[in-house]
Amino acid sequence: MKQLLFASTATIATAGIAAAESGINLSGYGRFGIGYLEDRQNTTLTTTTANGTVNQFTADSDEAILISRFRLNIDGFTETDGGVRFEGRVRLQADEDSDTGEANDAGLNGARFSVIYGGLRVDAGNVAGSFDNLDDYFGTEPGLEEFLGQYSGVNYSFLEYESTGSGDNAVFFQYTVGDFAVSASYDQNTIFANNGTGATTDRDRWDVSAAYTFNNITASLVYGETDEGDGVEKESLTVFTLGAEFNDFYGTLFLADDDVADDDENGTAYGFSVAYNLGAATTLQLVYGDGSADNDTRNIGVGAIYDLGAGATLRGAVGEVKDGDDDGRIQADFGVWFNF
Amino acid sequence: MKQLLFASTATIATAGIAAAESGINLSGYGRFGIGYLEDRQNTTLTTTTANGTVNQFTADSDEAILISRFRLNIDGFTETDGGVRFEGRVRLQADEDSDTGEANDAGLNGARFSVIYGGLRVDAGNVAGSFDNLDDYFGTEPGLEEFLGQYSGVNYSFLEYESTGSGDNAVFFQYTVGDFAVSASYDQNTIFANNGTGATTDRDRWDVSAAYTFNNITASLVYGETDEGDGVEKESLTVFTLGAEFNDFYGTLFLADDDVADDDENGTAYGFSVAYNLGAATTLQLVYGDGSADNDTRNIGVGAIYDLGAGATLRGAVGEVKDGDDDGRIQADFGVWFNF
Amino acid sequence: MKQLLFASTATIATAGIAAAESGINLSGYGRFGIGYLEDRQNTTLTTTTANGTVNQFTADSDEAILISRFRLNIDGFTETDGGVRFEGRVRLQADEDSDTGEANDAGLNGARFSVIYGGLRVDAGNVAGSFDNLDDYFGTEPGLEEFLGQYSGVNYSFLEYESTGSGDNAVFFQYTVGDFAVSASYDQNTIFANNGTGATTDRDRWDVSAAYTFNNITASLVYGETDEGDGVEKESLTVFTLGAEFNDFYGTLFLADDDVADDDENGTAYGFSVAYNLGAATTLQLVYGDGSADNDTRNIGVGAIYDLGAGATLRGAVGEVKDGDDDGRIQADFGVWFNF
């Protein structure tokens, strides 16, 4: 996502980092505050009857809970005399359980590896694909938890970096030359039908993107698809974004078309996001996202960020999240975010 | 394996942080040695019969085992120009399994977040409550594993920081002005009866404390209670401690009254602990704890600490742990503790 | 709790370590590339029928997968004025799942503790025994994954350091004086038969080694055994190795005799490995390992390492792995390894 405010990343390495040819960087952030979700519920029990019917019992949780995240990036790196940089990253992260309001243990995710040389970057392992690497896909996301996004109408599952899981073992390429950037990713995925006693299908997933920056405006086009599998049709997503940065203004326009297995989620998705720095320390945010399909999710809301200096900010947002024809639910949060 | 090629190990070590406004601190300790527990046993199998009877099979373990702990605190912090300090902590810890004498994997716990400004401190997440934050509650605890305590007669379960679990998602406040300190904690806890298919009860828990230091003596009073739940009555604990530090002497007096669901554990708990620095490098410890209820646990024992310098100490203790009318069991340990 | 003794919290920042008496070292490596295994398979489902028959369903995986490892060693240490060094290590590691080609989460292993004083070293916890500590046991292992070894004919399970599990809670001693080195390890292990409802047997495991270096040649002899258990006979392993280093050459000869429960795996194991630095940046490797028993595994293959500088190397190997009378399977890999 787009980080509007300065991130004073704390870096620790072998002696001064500027010249370090090999070392380990630690960086991350903490955030905590209060989160409100109308009609918050949690699943307390899941039973399966003899004939296979699955029953889920839910109970009302407290609508206002203590929300938090602790994130630490562990980056090992080496840079050869020839200027090729190798990196490996593992992330340590702890979040609250947003259903029950209780805390979770911190955990480790799957590793990502990178080779960087000039404008070329190749990632392998738990990588982000072309969609996930596009800042303007996310635009500005209001809230301490960044719970609102212009992309809410999209239902296609693209290749994402996972902070709390192993991720997919995939490959991502990116090449930047001047104002032009292209990228592509490929995720080899084999599905073993019927718990492996049935047929084996390749359900590989790939995406490509191109972006061009002219003056303060960036236009990006991304296409991705997932091969058809045993009983599952081919799925795809096309996204076009326009991002603009002028002095204190940052705004994005979002237009997408997804074609997924569920016909009630197919079709156009659209939205926009705006952030504006009001004075020296305050940023206001506005976001809208929706889709044309019956069951698409609509996001609409506003947020604010107040800069405390030294990488610490106060953040909050209020908005409505509405799935298809369901009643919209109000969600809001407020708290502190500090980079380290 | 044989490393044929050079390994440019990146090393990160001790240095001044005084001026850092944002960064990450790593600290911790290691301890290892031999632990003895009379009649040490472990549960090898737990079965449930068709009518719901639970059977536990236990077997004798070795009485003397290799005990150990590795603890690493990961603290991310940021301090604003206004003097407000934000901190986030996750702990990485590995312990032996004290039942079987085998090793456990290291694990991560739940995150704790803090805001500190002058004499005010607010913690959120996996926090310690007012009891757990009171040094004189614990007094001096003999042994490499600190296995003896003056508080042994207490059966109330107060809000504790968890080193090896997620902890409770709670809030703690502390305010210190001159020789006076007050604190309070609140833990919102919702119980979903009968696996969530029954009624939902709030079983919130809170505590408050006040402490006053006059010359070398600190008097502290703490009260905490847990709301009654579905079929469980209200529980509470009151603790009064006196702690004294004179030159080479540190001693505590402990008096408590707990009111818990089990009547055989209710009533008064009392104890004391003493530590005395004998010469330049040796500290002797003595502790006694007991309670008035039939099933209260009695702790009595002595320990010694020998300082090796550079944060390393040799430690050991021998004592008796006696639950109610059961036979007392001798426990002893000895080993090295080193801070890093 | 009350900390009577000084807690010299080691704070970590950018600095020289030469003089550090207490601190934390972080080091490790990343490696990633492509791995090929002929007829790679994975177990997709394991079922148990009513009469106890276990059925495993397997499916063909992709033969060529993305292989990777991220390893971070976390070493806390303290060195007293008297020159005694205490260390504690926990390792964080992420690997791909070599059966499915998907990624795994990173995990933490069991802790190892060390006391080092002059030529004496004592390890406790998740330790390596005398076999695992002998470099010439492994010789040079070709491949990014070091998948070929001269020891392939050995079937005895000796005490190993575990990078991804808790390891055994054991003790290891090593003493080096001049050109002579001896070591021993002891792993206390109690087996609870029949899930703990049966008899309890001690199945302790120990080993001893002696090594002597004359000029550029090191001769080592190691013996280890595991006590007989309930229904399992005593097992043992004797290994003799010769290692030689001359300028750009490193070679090892390996001879072993194992006596394990399975008669088809008993007998002599033998092999050799050779590494030769060809010019300034290239190392060639050759390895052969086999055994006299019917079901022993044969390894044969070649590898190459190309040094990129700054601790980064390109590595690859191709070889054949053959279990007993099964068809041999070709395995190969290639990728980058970078230390940090």
Side-chain angles (χ1 to χ4, degrees):
Chain A
M1 81 233 81
K2 189 78 181 179
Q3 289 287 359
L4 268 190
L5 296 183
F6 25 113
S8 75
T9 314
T11 313
I12 299 186
T14 343
I17 0 126
E21 64 173 10
S22 180
I24 294 165
N25 288 344
L26 302 181
S27 64
Y29 67 79
R31 69 180 194 201
F32 64 103
I34 300 292
Y36 170 87
L37 176 61
E38 202 178 338
D39 295 330
R40 190 189 298 274
Q41 296 215 316
N42 78 89
T43 302
T44 49
L45 183 67
T46 304
T47 59
T48 310
T49 62
N51 59 20
T53 311
V54 175
N55 292 309
Q56 284 203 330
F57 297 86
T58 57
D60 287 345
S61 303
D62 295 297
E63 293 186 322
I65 63 167
L66 191 59
I67 54 175
S68 64
R69 170 174 292 169
F70 178 95
R71 173 179 288 181
L72 178 76
N73 299 314
I74 304 170
D75 292 296
F77 66 91
T78 292
E79 191 160 333
T80 69
D81 297 339
V84 181
R85 186 178 172 90
F86 299 102
E87 288 187 354
R89 161 173 288 194
V90 165
R91 182 169 283 175
L92 182 163
Q93 184 164 315
D95 294 289
E96 99 285 349
D97 180 332
S98 63
D99 289 334
T100 63
E102 294 300 319
N104 282 330
D105 287 357
L108 301 166
N109 73 348
R112 186 190 71 194
F113 302 88
S114 307
V115 185
I116 301 163
Y117 182 71
L120 178 67
R121 177 188 183 104
V122 180
D123 289 351
N126 177 10
V127 305
S130 297
F131 295 102
D132 199 15
N133 266 294
L134 177 61
D135 282 351
D136 289 341
Y137 181 92
F138 301 96
T140 186
E141 297 169 282
L144 184 68
E145 296 198 298
E146 304 177 310
F147 62 86
L148 296 168
Q150 62 182 4
Y151 46 77
S152 63
V154 173
N155 300 96
Y156 178 80
S157 171
F158 52 76
L159 178 62
E160 276 184 293
Y161 180 75
E162 284 195 21
S163 291
T164 55
S166 59
D168 299 290
N169 208 16
V171 186
F172 170 75
F173 303 85
Q174 190 176 48
Y175 185 66
T176 307
V177 51
D179 295 329
F180 199 66
V182 291
S183 73
S185 78
Y186 186 74
D187 174 24
Q188 191 187 51
N189 187 16
T190 309
I191 303 288
F192 304 101
N194 203 4
N195 278 328
T197 61
T200 302
T201 359
D202 278 339
R203 193 129 203 261
D204 296 354
R205 189 166 52 166
W206 57 268
D207 53 40
V208 291
S209 82
Y212 183 69
T213 302
F214 39 107
N215 299 322
N216 301 50
I217 295 182
T218 302
S220 310
L221 187 65
V222 198
Y223 175 78
E225 68 173 57
T226 306
D227 293 353
E228 74 175 8
D230 194 38
V232 190
E233 59 190 87
K234 194 186 83 170
E235 300 186 313
S236 70
L237 172 65
T238 311
V239 167
F240 174 73
T241 63
L242 270 183
E245 288 194 73
F246 296 102
N247 302 321
D248 291 327
F249 173 86
Y250 169 63
T252 52
L253 282 175
F254 180 90
L255 195 60
D257 183 77
D258 56 350
D259 179 6
V260 296
D262 181 348
D263 285 342
D264 287 338
E265 295 180 337
N266 271 346
T268 314
Y270 40 85
F272 70 88
S273 76
V274 177
Y276 184 71
N277 293 334
L278 196 77
T282 308
T283 303
L284 296 183
Q285 300 161 292
L286 171 65
V287 70
Y288 169 77
D290 202 351
S292 64
D294 286 351
N295 287 342
D296 274 346
T297 299
R298 189 182 74 192
N299 272 4
I300 182 163
V302 293
I305 303 176
Y306 182 79
D307 184 10
L308 298 169
T313 49
L314 295 176
R315 298 184 185 209
V318 57
E320 192 210 45
V321 177
K322 182 168 158 53
D323 287 330
D325 293 333
D326 294 356
D327 288 338
R329 296 204 292 174
I330 299 297
Q331 186 167 356
D333 68 9
F334 179 76
V336 63
W337 176 307
F338 57 106
N339 294 311
F340 48 77
Chain B
M1 80 232 82
K2 188 78 182 180
Q3 288 288 1
L4 270 187
L5 295 182
F6 27 110
S8 77
T9 312
T11 314
I12 296 186
T14 329
I17 21 125
E21 65 171 11
S22 180
I24 294 165
N25 288 343
L26 302 181
S27 64
Y29 67 80
R31 69 180 194 202
F32 62 103
I34 300 292
Y36 170 87
L37 175 62
E38 202 178 339
D39 295 330
R40 190 189 299 272
Q41 295 217 317
N42 79 87
T43 302
T44 50
L45 183 67
T46 304
T47 58
T48 310
T49 62
N51 59 20
T53 310
V54 174
N55 292 310
Q56 285 202 328
F57 296 87
T58 58
D60 287 345
S61 302
D62 295 295
E63 293 185 322
I65 63 167
L66 191 59
I67 55 176
S68 65
R69 169 173 293 170
F70 178 94
R71 172 179 289 182
L72 177 76
N73 299 314
I74 305 170
D75 291 296
F77 66 91
T78 293
E79 191 160 333
T80 69
D81 296 340
V84 181
R85 186 179 173 91
F86 298 100
E87 288 186 355
R89 162 174 287 196
V90 163
R91 182 169 282 175
L92 182 163
Q93 185 164 315
D95 294 288
E96 99 284 350
D97 179 332
S98 62
D99 289 334
T100 63
E102 293 302 320
N104 283 329
D105 286 357
L108 300 166
N109 73 350
R112 186 188 72 194
F113 302 88
S114 307
V115 186
I116 300 163
Y117 182 71
L120 178 67
R121 178 189 182 104
V122 180
D123 288 351
N126 177 10
V127 305
S130 297
F131 294 102
D132 199 15
N133 267 293
L134 177 63
D135 281 352
D136 290 342
Y137 180 93
F138 301 96
T140 186
E141 297 170 281
L144 184 68
E145 297 198 298
E146 304 175 310
F147 62 86
L148 296 168
Q150 61 182 3
Y151 47 77
S152 64
V154 173
N155 300 95
Y156 178 79
S157 171
F158 53 76
L159 178 63
E160 275 183 294
Y161 180 75
E162 284 195 22
S163 292
T164 54
S166 59
D168 299 290
N169 207 17
V171 186
F172 171 75
F173 304 86
Q174 190 176 48
Y175 185 66
T176 307
V177 50
D179 295 331
F180 199 65
V182 291
S183 74
S185 80
Y186 185 74
D187 173 23
Q188 192 187 51
N189 187 16
T190 309
I191 303 289
F192 304 101
N194 203 5
N195 277 328
T197 60
T200 302
T201 359
D202 278 339
R203 192 129 203 261
D204 296 354
R205 189 166 53 165
W206 56 268
D207 54 38
V208 291
S209 83
Y212 183 69
T213 302
F214 40 107
N215 299 321
N216 301 51
I217 296 182
T218 302
S220 310
L221 186 65
V222 198
Y223 175 77
E225 69 174 55
T226 305
D227 293 353
E228 73 175 7
D230 194 38
V232 190
E233 60 190 87
K234 194 186 82 171
E235 300 186 314
S236 71
L237 172 64
T238 311
V239 167
F240 174 74
T241 63
L242 269 182
E245 288 194 72
F246 296 102
N247 302 321
D248 291 327
F249 174 86
Y250 168 63
T252 52
L253 281 175
F254 180 90
L255 195 60
D257 184 75
D258 56 351
D259 179 4
V260 295
D262 181 348
D263 285 341
D264 287 339
E265 293 180 339
N266 271 346
T268 313
Y270 40 84
F272 70 89
S273 76
V274 176
Y276 184 72
N277 294 333
L278 195 78
T282 308
T283 303
L284 296 182
Q285 299 161 292
L286 171 65
V287 68
Y288 169 77
D290 202 351
S292 64
D294 287 352
N295 287 344
D296 274 346
T297 299
R298 190 181 74 192
N299 272 4
I300 182 164
V302 294
I305 303 175
Y306 182 79
D307 185 9
L308 298 170
T313 50
L314 296 176
R315 299 183 184 210
V318 57
E320 191 210 46
V321 176
K322 183 169 156 52
D323 288 330
D325 293 332
D326 294 356
D327 288 339
R329 296 204 293 174
I330 299 297
Q331 187 168 356
D333 68 10
F334 179 77
V336 65
W337 176 307
F338 57 105
N339 293 312
F340 49 76
Chain C
M1 80 230 83
K2 189 77 181 179
Q3 288 287 3
L4 266 190
L5 295 184
F6 27 110
S8 76
T9 312
T11 313
I12 307 254
T14 336
I17 15 122
E21 64 173 9
S22 180
I24 294 165
N25 287 344
L26 301 182
S27 64
Y29 68 79
R31 68 180 195 203
F32 64 103
I34 300 292
Y36 170 88
L37 176 61
E38 201 178 340
D39 295 331
R40 190 189 298 272
Q41 296 217 316
N42 77 89
T43 301
T44 50
L45 183 67
T46 305
T47 59
T48 311
T49 63
N51 60 20
T53 311
V54 175
N55 291 309
Q56 285 202 328
F57 296 87
T58 57
D60 286 345
S61 303
D62 294 297
E63 292 186 323
I65 63 167
L66 190 60
I67 54 174
S68 65
R69 170 174 292 170
F70 178 94
R71 174 178 288 182
L72 178 75
N73 299 313
I74 304 170
D75 291 296
F77 65 91
T78 293
E79 191 159 334
T80 69
D81 296 340
V84 182
R85 185 179 173 91
F86 299 101
E87 287 186 356
R89 162 174 288 196
V90 164
R91 181 169 284 176
L92 182 163
Q93 185 164 315
D95 293 289
E96 99 285 349
D97 179 332
S98 63
D99 290 334
T100 63
E102 294 301 318
N104 283 329
D105 286 356
L108 301 166
N109 73 348
R112 185 190 72 193
F113 302 88
S114 306
V115 186
I116 301 162
Y117 182 71
L120 178 68
R121 177 188 183 104
V122 180
D123 288 351
N126 177 10
V127 305
S130 297
F131 294 101
D132 199 16
N133 268 292
L134 177 63
D135 281 352
D136 289 343
Y137 181 92
F138 301 96
T140 186
E141 297 168 282
L144 183 68
E145 297 199 297
E146 303 176 310
F147 62 86
L148 297 168
Q150 61 182 3
Y151 46 78
S152 64
V154 173
N155 300 96
Y156 177 79
S157 171
F158 53 76
L159 178 62
E160 274 184 293
Y161 180 75
E162 284 195 22
S163 292
T164 54
S166 59
D168 299 290
N169 207 16
V171 186
F172 170 75
F173 304 85
Q174 189 176 47
Y175 185 67
T176 307
V177 51
D179 295 330
F180 198 66
V182 291
S183 73
S185 79
Y186 185 75
D187 173 23
Q188 192 188 51
N189 187 16
T190 309
I191 302 288
F192 303 101
N194 203 3
N195 278 328
T197 60
T200 302
T201 0
D202 279 338
R203 194 131 202 259
D204 297 354
R205 187 166 54 164
W206 57 267
D207 54 38
V208 292
S209 82
Y212 183 69
T213 301
F214 40 106
N215 300 322
N216 301 50
I217 296 183
T218 301
S220 309
L221 187 65
V222 198
Y223 175 78
E225 68 173 57
T226 305
D227 292 353
E228 72 173 11
D230 194 39
V232 191
E233 61 191 84
K234 195 185 81 170
E235 300 185 313
S236 70
L237 172 64
T238 310
V239 167
F240 174 75
T241 63
L242 269 182
E245 288 195 71
F246 296 103
N247 303 319
D248 291 326
F249 173 86
Y250 168 64
T252 52
L253 282 175
F254 180 90
L255 194 60
D257 184 77
D258 56 351
D259 179 5
V260 296
D262 181 348
D263 284 343
D264 286 338
E265 294 180 338
N266 271 346
T268 313
Y270 41 84
F272 70 88
S273 75
V274 177
Y276 184 72
N277 295 334
L278 196 77
T282 308
T283 303
L284 296 182
Q285 300 161 291
L286 170 65
V287 69
Y288 169 77
D290 202 351
S292 64
D294 287 350
N295 287 343
D296 275 346
T297 298
R298 189 182 75 191
N299 273 3
I300 182 163
V302 293
I305 303 176
Y306 182 79
D307 185 10
L308 298 170
T313 49
L314 296 176
R315 298 184 184 210
V318 57
E320 192 210 45
V321 177
K322 183 169 156 53
D323 288 329
D325 293 333
D326 294 357
D327 287 339
R329 296 204 292 175
I330 299 297
Q331 187 168 357
D333 67 10
F334 178 75
V336 63
W337 176 308
F338 56 106
N339 294 312
F340 48 76

